[in-house]
Amino acid sequence: MKERLTVVQIVGYKKTGKTTLVCKLAERFAGLGLRVGTAKHDGHDFDPDVPGTDSWKHRRAGAAVTAIVSARRTAWFEEHPSELDDVLARMAGRVDLVLVEGWKREKYPKLALAHSAEQLSLLNELDGVIAAASWDAATRETLAREGRLPTFDFGETERIAAFFLEHMKL
């Protein structure tokens, strides 16, 4: 296991395919033998546990922290927000790579997703964007003409994964 945790952010506007791409990349990297962690920022107040389960009942009863442990896994539910760096610190030493969905303003290398040319403004608003991907051919052509970032078709998971393997020295 590496001492330094490698972090890659997948960012974009709502409904640009962030979750889909994170899942495909996680599957690809895990298939190569890397231990992959994922972290997702959710802008809404989500409910992480199924109503009626024991851990849900514990949380509803007022537990600030609830852990559920089986012979194969452990899940933690904490009733407080977390900074990305805190989440990553908890993963350090356990995984080789963390794929982060969202947290646009954080400092880690980013792949930006854009459905259309109008969404390309995101590239100028963020620090650390090292590549871009789009479903839309015209958007990819615009990016290619600018020539400032490696650009991928959204469906080119293998090429995107290879880019990160090379760029991040994985």
Side-chain angles (χ1 to χ4, degrees), residues 40-54:
K40 176 181 173 54
H41 183 262
D42 186 273
H44 312 287
D45 190 19
F46 66 95
D47 192 0
D49 202 6
V50 178
T53 62
D54 290 348

Side-chain angles (χ1 to χ4, degrees), residues 2-147:
K2 296 170 16 171
E3 289 181 27
R4 185 179 73 82
L5 184 62
T6 299
V7 178
V8 173
Q9 290 182 255
I10 307 299
V11 300
Y13 292 107
K14 189 175 180 177
K15 301 292 183 193
T16 53
K18 295 180 301 290
T19 300
T20 299
L21 186 57
V22 166
C23 291
K24 287 180 178 184
L25 289 173
E27 182 178 14
R28 175 68 182 132
F29 291 135
L32 294 173
L34 293 170
R35 291 186 47 88
V36 179
T38 61
K40 176 181 173 54
H41 183 262
D42 186 273
H44 312 287
D45 190 19
F46 66 95
D47 192 0
D49 202 6
V50 178
T53 62
D54 290 348
S55 56
W56 180 85
K57 290 175 185 176
H58 292 193
R59 290 178 40 248
R60 292 291 180 236
V65 177
T66 300
I68 182 166
V69 181
S70 73
R72 293 180 350 128
R73 68 179 53 102
T74 300
W76 290 87
F77 301 99
E78 299 176 341
E79 301 297 327
H80 66 85
S82 296
E83 298 294 324
L84 179 57
D85 284 341
D86 296 333
V87 172
L88 296 174
R90 195 165 178 172
M91 290 186 189
R94 298 176 185 202
V95 297
D96 302 306
L97 165 70
V98 179
L99 297 171
V100 174
E101 180 179 337
W103 272 291
K104 286 183 220 151
R105 305 288 176 210
E106 290 293 333
K107 61 187 178 245
Y108 301 99
K110 298 169 183 63
L111 171 75
L113 301 179
H115 263 310
S116 63
E118 293 78 34
Q119 293 182 352
L120 293 178
S121 63
L122 181 65
L123 301 177
N124 299 321
E125 297 171 15
L126 302 178
D127 292 327
V129 177
I130 60 170
S134 180
W135 302 77
D136 180 58
T139 302
R140 288 192 309 276
E141 288 171 18
T142 299
L143 285 165
R145 271 195 311 275
E146 292 177 4

